[in-house]
Amino acid sequence: MPYYRRAGNVPPKRHTQHRTPSGGLYYEELMGEEGFSSDSSLLYHAGVPSAIVDATPWELPDQSTTENRPLIPRHLKLHELTSADWKAVDAVRGRRLVLGNADVRISYVAAGEPSPLYRNAIGDECVYVESGTATVETVFGTLSAGQGDYVILPRATTHRWVPTGSEPVRLYAIEASSHIAPPKRYLSRYGQLLEHAPYCERDLHGPADPVVVEGTDVEVLVKHRGSRGITGTRYVYPTHPFDVVGWDGCLYPFTFNIADFEPITGRVHQPPPVHQVFEGNNFVICNFVPRKVDYHPLSVPVPYYHSNVDSDEVMFYCGGNYEARKGSGIGQGSISLHPGGHSHGPQPGAVERSLGVEFFDELAVMVDTFRPLELGEGGLASEDPGYAWTWSGRGPGS
């Protein structure tokens, strides 16, 4: 995080005695990144944060992936993954893996049931709220999440999702094997967001003050690394993990709404890096928001054809009308996967239709990865098999 925050009751000096009203000690926990060499926060617990009374395996939803072979662009219709029984689905155990590699995994869920307490010990999570509302209860305090919010959850943050509306909360979960942060070029050497960045600290919303919750023998599901890949453990804590009376530091969950992203435009078409919002190891996250488009008198507003020689491109279409994909069947809740090694660009007719257009009313979240993505079971279950042939109008055997 680029700035310091303090909440609740903390002592004036770190690593010193902090006493309860009855004279006992609170237990100080340092939650920090990169082995004491990067951002951290200090949390003060009423109970011992390391105490557990049971640990058993937790069987995760299907994490298997299938190679994108033959190498083709793909269209995935994520709304087809919505269960008819969505009110009984939670935002953690109900996730369907869509795409993934060793650096990042993309899942989708439409949920109506409060999730169990959960902790991702593999990496940070960036969860985009396509629609619906939820409260995200965390060990730091609560976050309110609604349509258009990115919810950033640092690695090992204990939290749970509580849907709050009458409709499902639809979540596009980007799970890293690393940390997720603003691009380095947006930051000063001390971590402040610079003037050329398309958002600033005022747009980042941290949790409310921590709320102490009482309880005994409380279960927490933990996703973590195993010798054979990703696995899970179910811990049982003697007291509730939400026992923090105060914390301070520069590491904590926060929300950022996509509507607060200020688009960077130019006389001619701007490349995808101007749309970047976050980055992780070997991947970036960008968003394409409603904006004035290229204003050179001979400009071509839609993207030129391009070959991502170093990356796979994943676009999640979550609002408006994406001009470059008209005529391909892509709509709200669609994903397009354009893999490295395949040149891609506008659908036939899109270039001509865009000439003279001054404004694009589109909303999309893009993930570019620098290692190939494979298809998860959710991706295989939601694929439109005709998408690869939409540029030519004919497919195999025709």
Side-chain angles (χ1 to χ4, degrees):
M1 276 301 300
Y3 66 97
Y4 169 86
R5 188 177 179 93
R6 174 175 173 167
N9 179 16
V10 301
K13 187 76 173 176
R14 63 182 177 178
H15 312 324
T16 60
Q17 297 174 30
H18 187 25
R19 295 199 173 272
T20 69
S22 62
L25 285 172
Y26 290 116
Y27 299 94
E28 182 184 47
E29 176 194 15
L30 176 72
M31 183 173 172
E33 299 176 344
E34 299 179 10
F36 302 92
S37 299
S38 188
D39 293 346
S40 67
S41 286
L42 287 167
L43 300 91
Y44 294 88
H45 293 264
V48 177
S50 301
I52 56 174
V53 296
D54 196 12
T56 55
W58 167 40
E59 297 301 324
L60 297 171
D62 189 351
Q63 300 294 298
S64 63
T65 57
T66 302
E67 184 179 6
N68 182 11
R69 187 180 182 192
L71 186 73
I72 57 173
R74 297 180 187 262
H75 171 206
L76 313 177
K77 299 180 178 181
L78 298 192
H79 285 188
E80 293 186 358
L81 301 178
T82 302
S83 168
D85 193 26
W86 61 264
K87 290 184 178 179
V89 174
D90 72 70
V92 172
R93 294 173 297 187
R95 293 181 187 180
R96 305 277 299 273
L97 181 63
V98 177
L99 297 164
N101 62 23
D103 303 310
V104 63
R105 290 157 303 284
I106 298 173
S107 300
Y108 188 78
V109 62
E113 176 81 5
S115 77
L117 292 171
Y118 166 67
R119 179 187 309 147
N120 187 335
I122 297 171
D124 293 359
E125 293 191 358
C126 172
V127 182
Y128 179 79
V129 182
E130 180 192 358
S131 63
T133 58
T135 296
V136 187
E137 300 173 351
T138 85
V139 69
F140 292 88
T142 58
L143 297 165
S144 294
Q147 184 173 3
D149 277 330
Y150 289 101
V151 182
I152 305 296
L153 294 154
R155 176 187 286 168
T157 299
T158 302
H159 67 280
R160 73 172 187 148
W161 288 83
V162 182
T164 54
S166 58
E167 299 296 321
V169 57
R170 296 182 175 274
L171 304 177
Y172 184 71
I174 303 165
E175 303 178 15
S177 296
S178 62
H179 301 299
I180 296 173
K184 292 182 178 63
R185 68 181 183 278
Y186 292 172
L187 302 173
S188 77
R189 59 180 173 144
Y190 298 113
Q192 182 179 6
L193 284 158
L194 296 168
E195 284 294 300
H196 68 269
Y199 57 94
C200 74
E201 287 83 358
R202 297 180 191 179
D203 302 317
L204 310 180
H205 306 287
D209 283 348
V211 177
V212 176
V213 179
E214 295 183 353
T216 58
D217 294 340
V218 179
E219 290 189 352
V220 177
L221 302 182
V222 181
K223 182 184 291 184
H224 58 90
R225 299 180 183 90
S227 60
R228 300 179 183 176
I230 298 171
T231 189
T233 294
R234 178 181 287 102
Y235 282 145
V236 178
Y237 286 85
T239 57
H240 203 290
F242 293 171
D243 64 351
V244 172
V245 298
W247 61 271
D248 74 335
C250 294
L251 181 69
Y252 49 87
F254 65 93
T255 63
F256 168 72
N257 195 275
I258 197 169
D260 289 325
F261 186 90
E262 301 302 330
I264 298 169
T265 61
R267 279 184 16 111
V268 296
H269 192 79
Q270 299 298 295
V274 304
H275 304 286
Q276 188 176 353
V277 57
F278 300 116
E279 65 184 9
N281 183 51
N282 282 333
F283 73 93
V284 299
I285 303 172
C286 304
N287 44 217
F288 294 79
V289 302
R291 64 196 182 278
K292 180 179 177 63
V293 291
D294 322 330
Y295 41 90
H296 186 284
L298 297 178
S299 67
V300 179
V302 296
Y304 33 78
Y305 292 93
H306 52 288
S307 296
N308 287 1
V309 297
D310 292 319
S311 61
D312 283 10
E313 178 195 279
V314 181
M315 294 286 284
F316 175 52
Y317 303 91
C318 45
N321 297 296
Y322 199 76
E323 295 292 333
R325 292 285 164 261
K326 284 184 176 179
S328 64
I330 280 177
Q332 178 77 24
S334 288
I335 272 184
S336 64
L337 167 63
H338 297 139
H342 177 269
S343 177
H344 66 278
Q347 298 296 138
V351 171
E352 291 78 7
R353 287 193 301 269
S354 76
L355 301 180
V357 172
E358 297 182 353
F359 185 84
F360 279 176
D361 181 21
E362 63 188 23
L363 199 63
V365 173
M366 183 177 82
V367 177
D368 269 11
T369 68
F370 299 109
R371 283 200 274 193
L373 285 163
E374 296 192 339
L375 293 154
E377 64 83 20
L380 294 170
S382 60
E383 184 173 11
D384 166 14
Y387 177 70
W389 328 116
T390 54
W391 285 268
S392 65
R394 54 188 291 261
S398 61

